[in-house]
């Protein structure tokens, strides 16, 4: 949750660190008033190199403008 986020805002996210950063994908999948959802995807299940460490995420909220 984040009390500064509103439904029209744009939330950008990036993975700052993690053990298998090249195989892990992070996305913002929903934005609502007061919150946003982050989905973490393992892109290399077949090779057995799933993310096993703690990942650190950075995010920025771009405020929407209504006229």
């Amino acid at each position: 949750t984040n009390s500064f986020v509103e439904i029209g805002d744009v939330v950008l996210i990036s993975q700052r660190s993690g053990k298998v950063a090249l195989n892990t994908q992070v996305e913002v999948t929903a934005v609502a008033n007061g919150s946003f959802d982050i989905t973490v995807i393992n892109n290399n299940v077949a090779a057995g190199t799933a993310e096993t460490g703690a990942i650190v995420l950075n995010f920025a909220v771009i405020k929407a403008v209504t006229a």
Side-chain angles (χ1 to χ4, degrees):
T1 60
N2 185 309
S3 61
F4 294 104
V5 177
E6 296 174 317
I7 197 162
D9 295 346
V10 176
V11 180
L12 304 174
I13 192 154
S14 64
Q15 182 177 346
R16 187 175 85 194
S17 65
K19 187 172 180 178
V20 191
L22 295 176
N23 295 322
T24 303
Q25 177 181 345
V26 293
E27 299 177 357
V28 174
T29 52
V31 178
N33 288 330
S35 69
F36 57 92
D37 293 341
I38 300 170
T39 300
V40 179
I41 303 163
N42 174 19
N43 285 324
N44 203 8
V45 177
T49 55
E51 183 68 71
T52 57
I55 60 174
V56 178
L57 304 175
N58 291 333
F59 72 91
V61 177
I62 300 173
K63 298 301 289 176
V65 177
T66 57

